[in-house]
Amino acid sequence: MAYPYQIRSLEEYQQQYQQSVMDPEGFWANVADHFYWRRKWDKVLEWNFKEPDVKWFVGGKLNITENCLDRHLGTLGNTPAIIWEPNDPEERHRVITYRDLYNKVCQFANVLKNNGVKKGDRVCIYMGMIPELAIAVLACARIGAVHSVVFGGFSAQSIADRIQDAQASLVITCDGAFRGNKDIPLKSVIDDALIACPSVKKVIVCTRTRTPVSMIKGRDLWWEDEIKQVETMGNPPCPAEEMDAEDMLFILYTSGSTGKPKGVVHTTAGYMVYANYTFVNTFQYQPGEVYFCTADVGWITGHSYIIYGPLSAGATTVMFEGVPTWPDAGRLWSITDKFRVNTLYTAPTAIRSLMGYGLGPVNHKDLSSLKKLGSVGEPINEEAWHWFKDNIGKGRCPIVDTWWQTETGGIMITPIAGITPEKPGYATLPLPGVQPILVDERGQEITGNNVNGNLCIKFPWPGMLRTTYGDHERCRTTYFATYDNLYFTGDGCLRDEDGYYRITGRVDDVLNVSGHRIGTAEVENAINMHAGVVESAVVGYPHDIKGQGIYAFVIAEKMVHDPELSKKDILQTVSRIIGPIAKPDKIQFVSGLPKTRSGKIMRRILRKIAEGEMENLGDTSTLLDPNVVDEIKKGKQ
Ligand code: WTA
């Protein structure tokens, strides 16, 4: 059997779950045994959630790329590792076998070495969804450099913040990226970002769009030229760097309720074992299947379920450069048809937007290869769930609604495709190794079924974050200080009468817009950068397609004469500071914000107004000036 730790029946799920709770170390040691280690671990787990300090597979030595590439060459050398579909359906797709991928990763790893990158150095990657992005990620891992991938939709300012925080020494980018009918000038954005980033010594630019770029002498190099150099050296091998189990593998920045995004740190062995175990089990991957995850590698889903999970399992992973709605709303179905995709893993926001186009784009597409469907990133509403089930899965494919986070490294609560029960709107049951618990405001455990609470995890799992880069205290206060001895997810959750979990959304000031995490404080800071703005408050409201929309209440310096113009200015500011994904959907100019006497903005009231719930605003008597509420209600968008 390809994966001896693959769950094959409901009984096996129950057995594995029991074992993982009774004897977590034994359980994970059994899984980890099926990887390639340079040296096995001395101890499976050391932990406390106080500091926090969590170590898995202590003393183990390995390299994740030997597990994703080298170990497959004998059996899967000619098997496709990556099938790449370009943005333009007229352009040829690419098939990269495990042998090709191995060669390309070694080649580019040597490029990095030639440019002075060493184990532990941070490398920022800002590229579109092309195979070279996966190659760059794996090349970093090959030589022990820490990758920090930044999503192509972030602004120069956001990139600069991330590069400075990580003190990256090298950037890998493209001339540009194709996304739908857009051509995003990545290199030019990097040029703007690097004005404020003295740590960066080199920039490697991969050709994709042939957009004209300016290359700075001594700093900027073409990917293709550097590869030629390695070729003239005779393509020497690139032995994998031996990494400690707990050596840093990557940093990925994500938004929280306060301040700037934090760099979530994942380490080598635990992350690898967890990404692989959750991939193989959740999707019930079978050798030879074609698996397609529509996420972007700029987010954790792309890291774990386009690259590391599938490749460590020797799977064939489809990577798509474009967007689901271009050139038409049938693109995902065409790709499924074209490559005979067996598993399709996508986001509720994509499903909802495609639903809006009706069944025209679905008809006449052969979707008979599909066996399993998946959803991730935000709660999936029942309507979207059923549409996906009936029209895409034709009623015969299980749907896995996978709940997890950047910080968890991999899927935590989910059905196991075709094995454990599913229920629309529910992530259902924890995977083996995951011990969820619901608590009330004071941290008291809420037991029994049919209850609501804050979702926490009470025992470590191998894929969990280890720290936030450069600021361990922030990691402690954000995740481990709210409740004693628990990891706090920030999500609210219902456990129904059957014991199934349903994630109800964030309980902190984090928005989930089209599956992208955005902190309200971050958006407020960006809006406040606009010279004409005195103060702002940002809340989320239900949005048919995006899940949540962004509603901004803004106090302007002087009377706003042309509100449309001022709004456009504010949107531009937010785009420049964070990126287009954080642009408010609605802006309302107000003369004051509902504040308590101590000056705290009462977001609860603003949230209700944004949701259109004008009555039942609750007690407003503690407000400094209760009149502002009436004014805001009148001016609602
Ligand atoms: C939300 C994405 C409901 C949740 C992998 C979480 C979900 C945040 C689901 C993490 C789901 C993710 N059902 N909500 N299946 N999956 N979420 O870090 O609020 O980008 O805390 O990781 O998305 O977002 P992140």
Side-chain angles (χ1 to χ4, degrees):
M1 191 164 72
Y3 315 108
Y5 44 87
Q6 192 170 48
I7 297 163
R8 293 304 186 84
S9 65
L10 190 56
E11 295 68 48
E12 265 182 48
Y13 163 72
Q14 282 152 351
Q15 277 163 13
Q16 277 205 22
Y17 193 82
Q18 281 305 320
Q19 195 213 344
S20 79
V21 174
M22 309 293 285
D23 175 21
E25 297 194 29
F27 174 79
W28 287 112
N30 271 336
V31 178
D33 250 335
H34 300 282
F35 291 78
Y36 175 68
W37 298 82
R38 295 271 186 98
R39 179 182 187 276
K40 283 249 165 110
W41 56 92
D42 302 313
K43 194 154 186 281
V44 178
L45 173 64
E46 277 174 14
W47 72 288
N48 75 72
F49 277 178
K50 271 256 145 337
E51 298 174 51
D53 184 17
V54 176
K55 295 192 183 83
W56 282 91
F57 309 112
V58 183
K61 305 282 178 197
L62 74 163
N63 185 290
I64 195 168
T65 68
E66 287 187 328
N67 284 279
C68 290
L69 301 169
D70 307 53
R71 70 163 168 160
H72 302 317
L73 293 181
T75 46
L76 301 172
N78 297 323
T79 300
I82 297 176
I83 300 177
W84 176 74
E85 171 71 5
N87 182 58
D88 180 352
E90 303 293 313
E91 192 183 333
R92 281 239 326 243
H93 70 270
R94 284 165 66 183
V95 176
I96 298 166
T97 64
Y98 272 94
R99 165 75 51 198
D100 297 336
L101 187 60
Y102 167 83
N103 288 335
K104 285 180 190 300
V105 167
C106 287
Q107 231 180 10
F108 193 68
N110 278 326
V111 167
L112 293 176
K113 277 202 208 159
N114 287 347
N115 284 288
V117 181
K118 293 182 301 296
K119 178 177 175 181
D121 291 351
R122 275 81 55 217
V123 172
C124 172
I125 302 179
Y126 185 67
M127 299 171 83
M129 285 284 287
I130 57 175
E132 284 69 20
L133 166 53
I135 292 164
V137 162
L138 292 165
C140 287
R142 186 86 181 164
I143 62 170
V146 176
H147 54 78
S148 163
V149 183
V150 177
F151 174 61
F154 280 116
S155 69
Q157 180 66 53
S158 295
I159 302 165
D161 290 345
R162 286 156 172 78
I163 290 177
Q164 283 166 341
D165 188 78
Q167 287 293 298
S169 59
L170 186 138
V171 173
I172 309 170
T173 188
C174 299
D175 48 0
F178 295 124
R179 269 177 76 78
N181 56 11
K182 289 202 204 79
D183 173 348
I184 302 151
L186 298 179
K187 172 60 164 65
S188 133
V189 177
I190 287 291
D191 288 338
D192 289 346
L194 292 191
I195 294 169
C197 301
S199 63
V200 175
K201 303 293 179 248
K202 294 268 171 76
V203 179
I204 299 180
V205 186
C206 182
T207 308
R208 174 59 185 136
T209 55
R210 308 208 170 260
T211 312
V213 298
S214 54
M215 298 290 278
I216 292 183
K217 223 169 141 183
R219 188 193 75 179
D220 300 351
L221 307 160
W222 288 106
W223 175 296
E224 296 76 10
D225 292 347
E226 294 301 296
I227 293 287
K228 276 200 200 100
Q229 285 247 352
V230 174
E231 279 166 356
T232 49
M233 290 160 62
N235 266 329
C238 182
E241 185 79 28
E242 185 169 291
M243 304 294 282
D244 187 84
E246 284 297 336
D247 275 339
M248 213 183 292
L249 176 62
F250 67 86
I251 306 172
L252 187 58
Y253 285 84
T254 191
S255 295
S257 49
T258 53
K260 296 216 154 148
K262 44 191 176 286
V264 168
V265 170
H266 286 288
T267 58
T268 305
Y271 173 81
M272 171 187 78
V273 168
Y274 198 70
N276 177 287
Y277 177 83
T278 53
F279 170 75
V280 160
N281 279 296
T282 307
F283 303 107
Q284 287 290 300
Y285 186 81
Q286 306 303 328
E289 285 187 343
V290 177
Y291 159 92
F292 177 21
C293 167
T294 68
D296 191 289
V297 171
W299 309 111
I300 190 69
T301 307
H303 283 62
S304 301
Y305 300 111
I306 293 178
I307 298 183
Y308 289 117
L311 296 179
S312 65
T316 296
T317 175
V318 176
M319 187 176 181
F320 173 39
E321 183 181 34
V323 296
T325 48
W326 196 85
D328 60 57
R331 192 67 194 278
L332 297 184
W333 326 133
S334 304
I335 297 171
T336 301
D337 190 343
K338 180 171 175 186
F339 300 122
R340 311 303 301 146
V341 167
N342 302 114
T343 300
L344 178 65
Y345 188 31
T346 190
T349 187
I351 300 169
R352 286 192 299 262
S353 106
L354 296 177
M355 269 168 74
Y357 293 86
L359 290 177
V362 184
N363 295 337
H364 312 297
K365 301 280 160 60
D366 181 358
L367 302 181
S368 60
S369 56
L370 281 176
K371 295 189 219 163
K372 292 156 267 189
L373 302 173
S375 161
V376 60
E378 46 173 324
I380 179 165
N381 48 309
E382 284 197 34
E383 195 193 354
W385 193 96
H386 284 293
W387 189 87
F388 199 33
K389 180 95 178 172
D390 299 342
N391 299 302
I392 305 307
K394 313 291 182 194
R396 36 170 196 82
C397 302
I399 298 182
V400 293
D401 175 358
T402 61
W403 173 82
W404 58 295
Q405 311 177 295
T406 304
E407 293 86 344
T408 68
I411 298 168
M412 301 285 280
I413 304 183
T414 180
I416 296 174
I419 291 194
T420 61
E422 60 189 23
K423 181 168 177 175
Y426 284 75
T428 69
L429 299 173
L431 286 175
V434 176
Q435 300 187 36
I437 155 175
L438 300 185
V439 299
D440 65 17
E441 299 296 319
R442 288 161 306 141
Q444 289 298 316
E445 175 163 8
I446 303 171
T447 54
N449 287 345
N450 233 331
V451 289
N452 258 299
N454 290 342
L455 178 62
C456 294
I457 312 289
K458 67 177 173 200
F459 195 84
W461 64 100
M464 68 186 292
L465 87 164
R466 300 297 193 269
T467 187
T468 45
Y469 192 79
D471 192 352
H472 192 62
E473 179 58 10
R474 191 160 174 207
C475 173
R476 191 186 69 80
T477 53
T478 312
Y479 307 106
F480 298 92
T482 317
Y483 307 114
D484 254 5
N485 264 313
L486 297 175
Y487 165 81
F488 176 42
T489 64
D491 281 320
C493 183
L494 161 82
R495 187 167 51 221
D496 77 356
E497 58 282 359
D498 302 318
Y500 293 162
Y501 292 87
R502 176 195 181 102
I503 310 304
T504 49
R506 303 287 305 193
V507 293
D508 52 9
D509 290 319
V510 173
L511 306 179
N512 192 327
V513 180
S514 299
H516 302 152
R517 263 168 80 171
I518 300 170
T520 52
E522 237 181 299
V523 184
E524 288 165 7
N525 288 340
I527 294 174
N528 298 348
M529 300 261 184
H530 188 285
V533 170
V534 179
E535 198 182 2
S536 62
V538 164
V539 297
Y541 70 95
H543 187 287
D544 282 349
I545 289 171
K546 299 180 176 184
Q548 263 187 317
I550 304 180
Y551 197 123
F553 298 90
V554 176
I555 305 178
E557 199 156 72
K558 332 188 247 303
M559 263 285 291
V560 178
H561 290 296
D562 184 347
E564 288 318 308
L565 206 68
S566 307
K567 283 179 191 173
K568 241 173 95 185
D569 271 3
I570 289 175
L571 293 182
Q572 232 175 39
T573 307
V574 174
S575 261
R576 235 189 33 242
I577 303 294
I578 307 177
I581 56 172
K583 282 199 291 196
D585 299 274
K586 293 181 180 180
I587 296 175
Q588 180 182 347
F589 290 105
V590 296
S591 64
L593 292 166
K595 287 189 181 172
T596 61
R597 287 195 181 85
S598 59
K600 225 182 111 194
I601 297 174
M602 302 233 349
R603 285 162 191 288
R604 177 176 54 79
I605 294 176
L606 293 175
R607 231 175 274 134
K608 285 225 162 138
I609 295 176
E611 285 166 9
E613 227 193 276
M614 300 300 196
E615 311 307 317
N616 306 323
L617 290 183
D619 184 13
T620 53
S621 65
T622 56
L623 288 181
L624 191 59
D625 176 11
N627 292 327
V628 296
V629 175
D630 290 324
E631 184 215 302
I632 295 175
K633 271 161 70 175
K634 276 197 209 102
K636 178 172 186 286
Q637 301 286 300

